Amino acid sequence: MTPQTQKEYLSGHIERITYHNEDNGFCVLRVKIKGYKDLVTVTGNSPSVSVGEYIKCSGIWYNDRNHGKQFKADFLKALPPDTLEGIEKYLGSGLIKGIGTHFAKKLVTAFGDKVFDVIEHKPELLSTLDGIGKIRANSIRNNWKDQKIVREIMIFLQSHGVGTTRATRIFKTYGEEAIAVVSKNPYQLAKDIRGIGFVSADTIAGNLGIAKDSLIRARAGLSHVLLEATSSGHCALPLEILIENTGKLLGIDSSLVELAVTKELELKTIICDLIEDKSCIFLASYHFYEKQIARILLSINKEAVLWDHDNSEELIPAIEQKLNIRLADNQKEAITTALSKKLTVVTGGPGTGKTTLVKTLLELLKVNKLNVKLCAPTGRAAKRLGETTGLEATTIHRLLEVNNLEGGFKYNEENRLVCDYLIVDESSMIDVILFYSLIKALPDHVGLLLVGDVDQLPSVGAGQVLKDIINSNIITTVRLNRIFRQSTTSTIITTAHNVNKGILPDLTTRKDNSDFYFIEAEPGEDIISKIITITCDRIPKKFNLNPIGDIQLLCPMQRGGTGARSLNIELQKALNPHYAEGITKFGQVFAVGDKVMQTENNYDKDTYNGDIGIINAINREEQEVTIDFYGNKIVYDYEDLDQITLAYATTIHKSQGSEYPAVIIPLTMQSYMMLKRNLIYTAITRGKKLVVVIGEKKAFAMAVKDGKSSDRYSKLKDWLQM
């Protein structure tokens, strides 16, 4: 590109926005400039631009070899449009929620160049137009007002080195006080605003003049490191690791970090306690959760049951006949234990009869006329539990009922659940926060059965609840280890158990009737093209499965060529014919028909981390996307789409608690950091009818060989043993 160095000044109306990066403000605009026959391409930086706006800019002309003549602006300012045509385009651009192209034309026709004044000061006049009632008129006025404030916030944030993507959310949290709050303590953003992390907040702080070695920065960095540790599954960090990691993150001396630790200990926001004789620092809340979990479990465990259980062994043969089953000895042991004790843990791999055990237990509980409830951590796991037992099963969140008005759950220590016996499936997935919320809501007389596979990956959230309970040797635990004959015919199940034992399955033989396959593929184009062919063509034809609804890609990582992000882009193009008609938000394209996943709990919408849905509709005028989750149609504003991600491919961690008819697992040495035995074991056990591992034999072998599970820093086991 060759520049012409003489600075010039241009002004005109934005006709089209070719590109706008909301994070850094870079934009490519097509501008109608007086005296120029064709539209002019202008590149520059602006925190916010809209079609129809009038821009003033200064810069130089470039001749781009690919795109031709362009104007590169070093200064660019956008102003409200001043022509009727510009005003109409501006209002119809989707900038103001509630006004699309249709109403934009109506408004300009009715009020001309006074339309902005009408919207802001005389909104009652809007309702005089056909199709605009009082509710829509007020909505337009409020959205216009909000937009003006948001723009100010955008410009403020942009001037302090942060993107503008979260500006609306900042405004919704702090209102008109947003700039004042950010100026006083920018680190508050990382605590209060979803999507703004410590790094962004720290950037703002630096630009506002907060010193690198200030105590407020050291304290904020300390809290961030501890919070990040919980995201990695830890409830605490050893003191020396915490000091080291915080010092590295902030680039400050350890003495300042130690001072920050002392200050936070004084304020009791953090707690120092021993984990296996090592001084560790907890966020106060996580220390409280684990201590309380232990107290409640020990209380349940020491009490006698209030129902008749003496005849359970006599009743089992009749139930076996009724259900047409034959129980193994350790299944019978688990059942009689679960009836005679208030707290029992049952763990076992696939095909060991956990479901059969639960169904038999339910029959015995029915004899005692007990009020039984069933739950699981995820929607899919709950749905599967309900289908296999024939009884209603819910997620833990729905069982506890979210209290939208006051926060937390409706059922808690002051308002207990109404039930006599609770069965919790997929217990390995439950983190300390959710488990504490559940058990504090249990009535004193309740019986509790925890069912899960402790050899799977631990919870995505902090803690290792099931593992700590089992390893404490305080709570009665029955391990199911017999694989039933009907399950031995499944290559999926036999392969999963071999992997769990550290035995590499035979990857060379392939039977026509097999449900487990290994396909060798080289990293790069080879594996991606094979994945697309298998997903879109081979599996649907051979096994009569739907490529979107029945097949799930499970990846060790998010990033990389065979990571979930990259494969989602490739599969979206291959599987969704509406891809080109989609909208781009938060770096992703969303289109009608896309398979998507909720990535965090949203109590207001009653959708939870891991829920999978299909995009049902996109309303550009109202800036809303409708997603169908298991038959429930949920509406999202554009600004909330950062909690939604494409789900043609997902990580193995995100798949916990779910089962899919067919699973494809890409394994390459690019993911070597994640190649652990429990990861691959978990992935294989997600497939019901078909599992295909595709990639490098070396990567598969490495994963099977590495049986080390990285222990988390948690104190629950110690609390239970005290």
Side-chain angles (χ1 to χ4, degrees), residues 467-485:
K467 184 178 179 180
D468 280 349
I469 290 173
I470 293 172
N471 288 347
S472 73
N473 295 317
I474 299 297
I475 310 302
T476 302
T477 299
V478 180
R479 182 179 279 274
L480 304 180
N481 46 31
R482 176 187 163 187
I483 304 174
F484 283 83
R485 188 169 60 232

Side-chain angles (χ1 to χ4, degrees), residues 31 39 53 132 137 152 285 306 330 372 375 410 447 459 573:
V31 183
L39 297 178
E53 284 185 319
I132 300 181
E152 288 177 15
S285 54
L306 300 178
N330 62 349
V372 182
C375 66
K410 175 184 173 182
S459 60
K573 292 175 182 175

Side-chain angles (χ1 to χ4, degrees), residues 150-203:
V150 167
R151 177 170 285 233
E152 288 177 15
I153 296 168
M154 283 174 157
I155 293 168
F156 172 79
L157 292 175
Q158 186 80 35
S159 68
H160 290 94
V162 71
T164 59
T165 305
R166 315 295 178 191
T168 302
R169 196 166 294 145
I170 292 171
F171 168 65
K172 282 189 174 180
T173 304
Y174 303 130
E176 296 182 16
E177 300 297 312
I179 293 175
V181 171
V182 173
S183 300
K184 184 179 178 183
N185 182 9
Y187 296 107
Q188 197 64 37
L189 290 173
K191 294 180 180 180
D192 297 340
I193 309 297
R194 190 182 78 244
I196 291 186
F198 175 81
V199 174
S200 296
D202 196 41
T203 302

